[in-house]
Amino acid sequence: MLIIKNATVVNFSPPEVHQGWDIVIESDQIAAAGPGASEGLTADEVWDLKGGIVHPGLVCSHNHFYSGLARGILADIPPSPDFISVLKNLWWRLDRGIDREILKSSGEICCLDAIRNGSTSVIDHHASPAFIDGSLSVLKEAFEKTGLRGMSCYETSDRNGLEEMKAGVAENIRMAEEIDREKAEGTWKGLFDCHIGGHAPFTVPEEGLKLLADAVESTGRGFHIHVAEDRYDVAHSHHHYGEDLLVRLDRHGLLNSKAIIAHGLYLSEEERKILDERNSFLAVNFRSNMNNNVGSQKYIGSVKNAALGTDGIGTDMWEEFKFAYFKHKDEGGPLWPGDFLGFLHNGNTILERNFDSRFGRIEKGYTADLVVSDYSPPTPLKAENIAGHIAFGQSASSVRSVVIGGNVVLRDREFPFDTGTLYEEARENAARLWENMNSIAP
Ligand SMILES: [Zn+2]
């Protein structure tokens, strides 16, 4: 048992600030939270925060841990004037250069980064065409080794041929079966589950969507795919299939309450209606959209379940929150920081639908995924202005300790194991990956 005393509890949704609370963590749950909640209890460990802040862990709802070693990339990349060139010249060469060791390093340093930023869960979307079979288990090991919660899936695609497309579907099913086996045997660590993944409608032909729909059905998992990240995806669908993107996916039965549609910059009114009727998620990624010059997300305020992701631009959700809000305001958008805090919080609903537990609040009965922060508000911190403090101040630098599923995974900014070797290995693997890319033609 871990007891946290004298905390200022900050809940994001609905927003609340409570002074002088105690939090009792037993196993992976918050067993009690409130004034005097720890009275008469003895714990293995007691932290007295003396008024310090505790808030729920942040959730990144769309990411790519395979791109963790792309930071500062030095490889021969031709000019890429449009979205498809960016994919062909950069990302589809980077992912083909990944082997088991590179993926292991990439996954590990991304997990460490997430924890250090106060992100307690990351929804990942994976590609490594030269190492498909078993790749999701390598990521699962990285999550479990560091104690991060999350999900992944393999992004099925025909971009390197139909055999590879089938191998992608098979890897998704294999991962789901491995997790189901662990759950049945009682060895599942409770941290990592999976989606069934597709890259994007323009790289998944009808045969692929049929296989993916069968996999969704047989595994009971949700579908995770990029949709309308660029206008090209929309035009491709109209040209080749004569229908809107989500109409096509829905025809295959791929949209349900566990499904995540990433980006969705160019969804029609009918598609947004389908998305909401199926109760699916829209994971938006403002920084990535800016980086790829594909346009900006205009519908975030008009769909039922919008959530924030980074699309591989790190795991710092404080920074993503700020960029999302400021980009929206830059375009004259009507939303306020509180709306964006709601979108950030919605990642917890993704977790609740996949982990069969409650997430996202410091409250009795919720999963103990939380952050101890040393943010010292220079102006009064109230329920009404939590989001304003985040938009205009609080950042990842305030993250002091992190608890995930009741385990202390970061204590006073230190990991419980030496990370120096992992970073050393990552730098070596990054250099090797960049070399690999130079021998892969766009
Ligand atoms: Zn993505």
Side-chain angles (χ1 to χ4, degrees), residues 62 64 125 226 262-263 311:
H62 180 73
H64 299 285
H125 192 261
H226 299 113
H263 301 294
D311 199 30

Side-chain angles (χ1 to χ4, degrees), residues 355-430:
F355 283 86
D356 199 22
S357 187
R358 306 194 74 188
F359 289 90
R361 284 181 65 76
I362 308 298
E363 187 179 315
K364 183 184 174 185
Y366 277 74
T367 305
D369 288 8
L370 52 88
V371 171
V372 174
S373 158
D374 55 17
Y375 176 64
S376 193
T379 57
L381 175 65
K382 306 278 187 192
E384 297 79 10
N385 68 11
I386 295 168
H389 276 269
I390 298 175
F392 301 103
Q394 190 173 7
S395 70
S397 66
S398 67
V399 174
R400 194 172 97 202
S401 299
V402 177
V403 175
I404 301 178
N407 294 314
V408 181
V409 296
L410 188 77
R411 183 192 298 266
D412 293 327
R413 296 192 161 80
E414 295 286 339
F415 289 95
F417 49 85
D418 176 37
T419 58
T421 326
L422 301 186
Y423 280 90
E424 233 166 77
E425 285 171 5
R427 286 188 289 271
E428 282 165 21
N429 280 308

Side-chain angles (χ1 to χ4, degrees), residues 225-255:
I225 187 167
H226 299 113
V227 173
E229 180 173 359
D230 184 79
R231 285 192 179 86
Y232 177 81
D233 200 12
V234 181
H236 183 278
S237 188
H238 288 160
H239 183 190
H240 292 273
Y241 305 105
E243 51 193 353
D244 279 347
L245 294 156
L246 291 192
V247 172
R248 182 173 169 233
L249 297 185
D250 194 45
R251 176 165 54 75
H252 286 275
L254 285 159
L255 302 178

Side-chain angles (χ1 to χ4, degrees), residues 275-276 278-283 303-307 346 349 353:
L275 190 79
D276 287 352
R278 301 290 173 258
N279 205 8
S280 303
F281 291 89
L282 181 69
V303 297
K304 193 169 154 193
N305 305 310
N346 283 346
T349 313
R353 291 182 189 173

